[in-house]
Amino acid sequence: MWADSGEHEKIQRVIDAVFSGKQRPVILEAGCGSRSHVHFPSDARIVGIDISEDQLIRNQGLDERIQGDIQSYEFPEQSFDAIVCWDVLEHLARPEAALERFGRAIRDDGVIILSGPNPLSAKGIITKLTPYRFHIWFYRNLRGLKEAGTPGNPPFPTYLRLSITPNAIKKFARRNGLAVLHESVFGYGDSRDVISRKSRAFDVVMKALNATARALSLGRIHPEATQCYFVLQRKATRGSK
Protein backbone atom coordinates (compact mmCIF):
# COMPACT_ATOMS: atom_id res chain seq x y z
CA MET A 1 0.00 0.00 0.00
CA TRP A 2 1.30 3.47 -0.86
CA ALA A 3 2.22 5.52 2.18
CA ASP A 4 3.67 8.95 2.91
CA SER A 5 7.03 8.68 4.70
CA GLY A 6 6.36 12.13 6.16
CA GLU A 7 3.43 10.68 8.13
CA HIS A 8 5.66 7.93 9.48
CA GLU A 9 8.11 10.58 10.65
CA LYS A 10 5.36 12.54 12.43
CA ILE A 11 4.15 9.42 14.23
CA GLN A 12 7.71 8.50 15.16
CA ARG A 13 8.24 11.92 16.74
CA VAL A 14 5.08 11.45 18.84
CA ILE A 15 6.29 8.01 19.96
CA ASP A 16 9.77 9.32 20.80
CA ALA A 17 8.21 12.02 22.99
CA VAL A 18 5.89 9.58 24.79
CA PHE A 19 8.66 7.09 25.55
CA SER A 20 11.42 9.54 26.42
CA GLY A 21 12.87 8.36 29.71
CA LYS A 22 10.53 5.37 29.99
CA GLN A 23 12.36 2.15 30.79
CA ARG A 24 11.57 -1.34 29.52
CA PRO A 25 8.21 -0.60 27.87
CA VAL A 26 6.11 -3.52 26.70
CA ILE A 27 4.83 -3.21 23.12
CA LEU A 28 2.13 -5.24 21.35
CA GLU A 29 2.27 -5.53 17.59
CA ALA A 30 -1.30 -6.58 16.77
CA GLY A 31 -1.48 -8.44 13.48
CA CYS A 32 2.28 -8.12 13.39
CA GLY A 33 2.98 -9.30 9.84
CA SER A 34 6.61 -9.64 8.94
CA ARG A 35 8.08 -6.30 10.04
CA SER A 36 7.58 -3.31 12.29
CA HIS A 37 6.62 0.14 11.01
CA VAL A 38 7.64 2.30 13.97
CA HIS A 39 10.54 2.16 16.42
CA PHE A 40 10.61 1.97 20.21
CA PRO A 41 13.42 2.21 22.79
CA SER A 42 16.08 -0.48 22.47
CA ASP A 43 15.11 -2.05 25.81
CA ALA A 44 11.45 -2.47 24.81
CA ARG A 45 9.91 -5.92 24.98
CA ILE A 46 8.04 -6.58 21.72
CA VAL A 47 5.09 -9.00 21.78
CA GLY A 48 3.53 -9.97 18.46
CA ILE A 49 0.14 -11.53 17.83
CA ASP A 50 -1.03 -12.78 14.46
CA ILE A 51 -3.47 -15.39 13.26
CA SER A 52 -0.78 -16.68 10.87
CA GLU A 53 2.12 -18.70 12.28
CA ASP A 54 4.13 -17.96 9.13
CA GLN A 55 3.78 -14.22 9.64
CA LEU A 56 4.91 -14.54 13.25
CA ILE A 57 7.99 -16.49 12.22
CA ARG A 58 8.91 -13.91 9.58
CA ASN A 59 9.00 -11.07 12.11
CA GLN A 60 12.44 -11.50 13.63
CA GLY A 61 12.08 -8.46 15.90
CA LEU A 62 9.68 -10.13 18.35
CA ASP A 63 10.55 -11.20 21.89
CA GLU A 64 7.30 -13.13 22.30
CA ARG A 65 4.93 -14.62 19.75
CA ILE A 66 1.21 -15.28 20.20
CA GLN A 67 -0.77 -17.09 17.52
CA GLY A 68 -4.30 -15.80 17.92
CA ASP A 69 -7.13 -13.63 16.63
CA ILE A 70 -7.08 -10.05 17.94
CA GLN A 71 -10.88 -9.97 17.66
CA SER A 72 -11.24 -12.61 20.38
CA TYR A 73 -7.93 -12.95 22.22
CA GLU A 74 -8.24 -11.80 25.83
CA PHE A 75 -5.18 -9.71 26.71
CA PRO A 76 -4.52 -9.04 30.40
CA GLU A 77 -5.79 -5.62 31.44
CA GLN A 78 -3.26 -2.77 31.44
CA SER A 79 -0.52 -5.03 30.05
CA PHE A 80 1.02 -2.88 27.28
CA ASP A 81 2.65 0.53 27.06
CA ALA A 82 1.92 0.68 23.33
CA ILE A 83 -0.26 -1.25 20.89
CA VAL A 84 0.52 -0.99 17.18
CA CYS A 85 -2.12 -2.11 14.67
CA TRP A 86 -0.89 -1.24 11.18
CA ASP A 87 -3.04 -1.97 8.10
CA VAL A 88 -4.88 -4.77 9.91
CA LEU A 89 -8.32 -3.53 11.02
CA GLU A 90 -9.62 -3.34 7.45
CA HIS A 91 -9.14 -7.10 7.15
CA LEU A 92 -11.28 -7.94 10.19
CA ALA A 93 -14.97 -8.79 10.16
CA ARG A 94 -15.30 -7.34 13.70
CA PRO A 95 -12.65 -4.63 14.07
CA GLU A 96 -14.62 -3.00 16.88
CA ALA A 97 -14.03 -6.15 18.97
CA ALA A 98 -10.27 -5.80 18.50
CA LEU A 99 -10.39 -2.11 19.39
CA GLU A 100 -12.30 -2.74 22.60
CA ARG A 101 -9.67 -5.30 23.63
CA PHE A 102 -6.94 -2.77 22.91
CA GLY A 103 -8.77 -0.24 25.11
CA ARG A 104 -8.68 -2.64 28.06
CA ALA A 105 -5.11 -3.81 27.49
CA ILE A 106 -3.39 -0.40 27.26
CA ARG A 107 -1.76 1.00 30.39
CA ASP A 108 -2.26 4.48 31.77
CA ASP A 109 -0.29 6.94 29.60
CA GLY A 110 0.15 4.18 27.01
CA VAL A 111 -0.58 4.72 23.31
CA ILE A 112 -2.55 2.88 20.63
CA ILE A 113 -1.16 3.45 17.13
CA LEU A 114 -3.55 2.76 14.25
CA SER A 115 -3.02 2.89 10.51
CA GLY A 116 -5.40 1.82 7.79
CA PRO A 117 -7.40 2.83 4.74
CA ASN A 118 -10.34 5.20 4.97
CA PRO A 119 -13.51 3.19 4.18
CA LEU A 120 -15.24 6.39 3.00
CA SER A 121 -12.65 7.26 0.34
CA ALA A 122 -13.36 6.46 -3.29
CA LYS A 123 -10.65 3.80 -3.15
CA GLY A 124 -12.17 2.35 0.03
CA ILE A 125 -15.68 2.21 -1.41
CA ILE A 126 -14.47 0.52 -4.61
CA THR A 127 -12.46 -2.01 -2.60
CA LYS A 128 -15.45 -2.81 -0.40
CA LEU A 129 -17.86 -3.25 -3.31
CA THR A 130 -15.65 -5.43 -5.52
CA PRO A 131 -15.03 -9.15 -4.92
CA TYR A 132 -11.77 -10.52 -3.56
CA ARG A 133 -10.97 -12.33 -6.82
CA PHE A 134 -11.00 -8.93 -8.56
CA HIS A 135 -8.49 -7.62 -5.99
CA ILE A 136 -6.15 -10.50 -6.81
CA TRP A 137 -6.52 -9.85 -10.55
CA PHE A 138 -5.85 -6.13 -9.98
CA TYR A 139 -2.67 -6.77 -7.97
CA ARG A 140 -1.35 -9.27 -10.48
CA ASN A 141 -2.19 -7.45 -13.70
CA LEU A 142 -2.12 -3.73 -12.84
CA ARG A 143 0.36 -3.66 -9.97
CA GLY A 144 2.56 -6.38 -11.41
CA LEU A 145 2.67 -8.54 -8.26
CA LYS A 146 2.53 -12.03 -9.73
CA GLU A 147 2.46 -13.75 -6.32
CA ALA A 148 -0.57 -11.73 -5.22
CA GLY A 149 -3.17 -13.74 -3.35
CA THR A 150 -0.87 -16.66 -2.57
CA PRO A 151 -0.28 -17.56 1.12
CA GLY A 152 1.41 -14.67 2.94
CA ASN A 153 1.12 -12.26 0.00
CA PRO A 154 -1.39 -9.41 -0.40
CA PRO A 155 -4.09 -8.67 -1.16
CA PHE A 156 -5.82 -10.18 1.84
CA PRO A 157 -9.62 -10.42 2.20
CA THR A 158 -10.94 -6.96 3.09
CA TYR A 159 -14.08 -5.88 4.96
CA LEU A 160 -13.56 -2.13 5.57
CA ARG A 161 -16.27 -1.85 8.21
CA LEU A 162 -17.72 1.56 9.03
CA SER A 163 -16.50 1.06 12.61
CA ILE A 164 -13.01 2.08 11.42
CA THR A 165 -13.90 5.36 9.72
CA PRO A 166 -12.07 8.38 11.17
CA ASN A 167 -15.18 9.52 13.07
CA ALA A 168 -15.76 6.02 14.44
CA ILE A 169 -12.15 5.84 15.69
CA LYS A 170 -12.58 9.17 17.51
CA LYS A 171 -15.83 7.92 19.09
CA PHE A 172 -14.00 4.79 20.24
CA ALA A 173 -11.33 7.03 21.78
CA ARG A 174 -13.90 9.09 23.70
CA ARG A 175 -15.69 5.99 25.00
CA ASN A 176 -12.45 4.55 26.31
CA GLY A 177 -10.89 7.66 27.84
CA LEU A 178 -8.26 8.03 25.12
CA ALA A 179 -6.85 11.35 23.97
CA VAL A 180 -6.02 11.86 20.29
CA LEU A 181 -2.32 12.77 20.21
CA HIS A 182 -2.07 12.57 16.43
CA GLU A 183 -4.64 12.32 13.66
CA SER A 184 -4.03 12.39 9.94
CA VAL A 185 -6.45 11.48 7.17
CA PHE A 186 -4.75 12.12 3.89
CA GLY A 187 -4.11 10.94 0.37
CA TYR A 188 -4.05 12.05 -3.20
CA GLY A 189 -6.95 10.02 -4.52
CA ASP A 190 -5.01 9.24 -7.66
CA SER A 191 -3.03 6.43 -9.26
CA ARG A 192 -0.26 6.64 -6.65
CA ASP A 193 -2.74 5.60 -3.98
CA VAL A 194 -4.12 2.73 -6.03
CA ILE A 195 -1.38 1.24 -8.21
CA SER A 196 1.67 2.84 -6.54
CA ARG A 197 2.73 4.74 -9.65
CA LYS A 198 1.49 7.57 -11.83
CA SER A 199 -0.92 6.72 -14.65
CA ARG A 200 -2.59 9.50 -16.61
CA ALA A 201 -5.45 7.27 -17.78
CA PHE A 202 -6.11 5.95 -14.28
CA ASP A 203 -6.05 9.47 -12.86
CA VAL A 204 -8.89 10.49 -15.17
CA VAL A 205 -11.03 7.67 -13.79
CA MET A 206 -10.13 8.47 -10.16
CA LYS A 207 -10.85 12.18 -10.63
CA ALA A 208 -14.35 11.36 -11.90
CA LEU A 209 -15.02 8.91 -9.05
CA ASN A 210 -13.78 11.36 -6.42
CA ALA A 211 -15.98 14.15 -7.80
CA THR A 212 -19.03 11.86 -7.85
CA ALA A 213 -18.49 10.70 -4.26
CA ARG A 214 -18.04 14.28 -3.05
CA ALA A 215 -21.21 15.40 -4.81
CA LEU A 216 -23.34 12.51 -3.55
CA SER A 217 -22.22 13.14 0.03
CA LEU A 218 -22.92 16.88 -0.30
CA GLY A 219 -19.29 17.57 0.52
CA ARG A 220 -19.29 15.62 3.80
CA ILE A 221 -16.92 12.96 2.45
CA HIS A 222 -13.43 13.74 1.19
CA PRO A 223 -12.88 10.82 -1.20
CA GLU A 224 -9.23 11.68 -1.87
CA ALA A 225 -8.34 11.01 1.79
CA THR A 226 -7.44 7.36 1.36
CA GLN A 227 -5.33 6.65 4.46
CA CYS A 228 -5.82 7.22 8.21
CA TYR A 229 -3.28 7.47 11.02
CA PHE A 230 -4.12 7.82 14.71
CA VAL A 231 -2.09 7.86 17.91
CA LEU A 232 -4.40 7.57 20.94
CA GLN A 233 -3.19 7.89 24.53
CA ARG A 234 -4.80 6.44 27.64
CA LYS A 235 -5.44 9.17 30.14
CA ALA A 236 -3.99 8.40 33.56
CA THR A 237 -7.30 8.06 35.44
CA ARG A 238 -7.74 4.40 36.28
CA GLY A 239 -4.88 4.22 38.77
CA SER A 240 -6.18 7.24 40.70
CA LYS A 241 -9.65 5.81 41.34
Side-chain angles (χ1 to χ4, degrees), residues 78 99-100 102-112 168-181 231-241:
Q78 302 191 51
L99 288 171
E100 293 300 329
F102 296 165
R104 293 193 292 269
I106 198 69
R107 291 173 175 166
D108 287 347
D109 294 325
V111 291
I112 300 174
I169 294 295
K170 286 184 280 191
K171 288 180 181 178
F172 157 74
R174 289 194 294 270
R175 286 197 311 271
N176 287 273
L178 299 164
V180 179
L181 292 187
V231 180
L232 312 175
Q233 185 173 42
R234 163 70 67 192
K235 301 173 184 177
T237 57
R238 290 184 294 188
S240 61
K241 290 183 178 180

Side-chain angles (χ1 to χ4, degrees), residues 94-149:
R94 297 181 296 114
E96 64 281 354
L99 288 171
E100 293 300 329
R101 281 164 171 76
F102 296 165
R104 293 193 292 269
I106 198 69
R107 291 173 175 166
D108 287 347
D109 294 325
V111 291
I112 300 174
I113 301 155
L114 305 173
S115 169
N118 178 9
L120 296 181
S121 66
K123 177 185 175 183
I125 293 169
I126 293 169
T127 301
K128 186 175 179 63
L129 295 180
T130 51
Y132 178 54
R133 62 180 179 275
F134 172 77
H135 302 168
I136 295 174
W137 177 90
F138 188 94
Y139 269 61
R140 290 180 180 179
N141 293 278
L142 296 184
R143 299 191 67 178
L145 303 176
K146 300 306 179 184
E147 300 299 317

Side-chain angles (χ1 to χ4, degrees), residues 147-164:
E147 300 299 317
T150 59
N153 293 295
F156 303 108
T158 305
Y159 295 91
L160 282 169
R161 301 299 196 198
L162 293 179
S163 55
I164 61 169

Side-chain angles (χ1 to χ4, degrees), residues 2 13 33 37 48 52 62 81 86 96 98 114 122 135 144 147 159 164 177-178 184 201 210:
W2 181 87
R13 286 196 294 271
H37 295 269
S52 166
L62 301 177
D81 297 291
W86 201 278
E96 64 281 354
L114 305 173
H135 302 168
E147 300 299 317
Y159 295 91
I164 61 169
L178 299 164
S184 179
N210 289 334

